Amino acid sequence: MHELSIAQTIVDRASTASTQNGGARVTKIGLRIGAISGVEPDALRFGLEALTKDSPFDGVVLDIELCKRRQRCTKCGGEFEPEGFHSACPTCQSNESTCIAGNELDVTYFELEDSPCA
């Protein structure tokens, strides 16, 4: 399950964000996951929960944006969302296209709790 190593990288980045912000608690993590990225969102959530149990990140919320696969036709330049494995351009019927979205795996933001004033 490679989601566990991905979850560990996310926790490491969250820890860095916390440190860079005076130890502020990370309450939410935004992610963008593409449909063909090979990452299973539920497995990633499970991995993150397992890694953060009884830690400063216990209870952190994952806000996951799922991104559909998009292709750009190399013949006419049209962009489209293919269905299944069929990737012919709906405009010109060309079978030559390039994937432009759907394989992303990005941390988009960390939401931090404000530090109490002294």
Side-chain angles (χ1 to χ4, degrees), residues 40-110:
E40 174 55 46
D42 289 337
L44 184 59
R45 281 185 201 281
F46 178 80
L48 190 75
E49 287 174 12
L51 287 172
T52 59
K53 186 170 176 63
D54 299 326
S55 81
F57 299 101
D58 196 357
V60 69
V61 174
L62 276 186
D63 179 20
I64 298 177
E65 175 189 352
L66 299 174
C67 302
K68 294 182 178 183
R69 177 178 160 210
R70 291 196 51 81
Q71 298 285 120
R72 178 176 294 125
C73 178
T74 55
K75 185 175 178 184
C76 74
E79 295 181 10
F80 59 97
E81 291 177 7
E83 294 185 29
F85 294 107
H86 182 69
S87 61
C89 176
T91 303
C92 72
Q93 304 308 313
S94 172
N95 284 315
E96 296 178 25
S97 63
T98 303
C99 181
I100 59 170
N103 57 356
E104 46 276 289
L105 175 57
D106 301 316
V107 175
T108 55
Y109 68 89
F110 295 108

Side-chain angles (χ1 to χ4, degrees), residues 1-70:
M1 173 165 103
H2 72 285
E3 282 83 357
L4 192 58
S5 63
I6 294 168
Q8 182 61 60
T9 299
I10 293 168
V11 169
D12 293 345
R13 289 185 182 179
S15 180
T16 299
S18 174
T19 300
Q20 290 173 341
N21 287 279
R25 183 174 179 277
V26 177
T27 58
K28 189 184 266 189
I29 301 171
L31 300 175
R32 183 177 297 127
I33 301 176
I36 60 171
S37 67
V39 176
E40 174 55 46
D42 289 337
L44 184 59
R45 281 185 201 281
F46 178 80
L48 190 75
E49 287 174 12
L51 287 172
T52 59
K53 186 170 176 63
D54 299 326
S55 81
F57 299 101
D58 196 357
V60 69
V61 174
L62 276 186
D63 179 20
I64 298 177
E65 175 189 352
L66 299 174
C67 302
K68 294 182 178 183
R69 177 178 160 210
R70 291 196 51 81

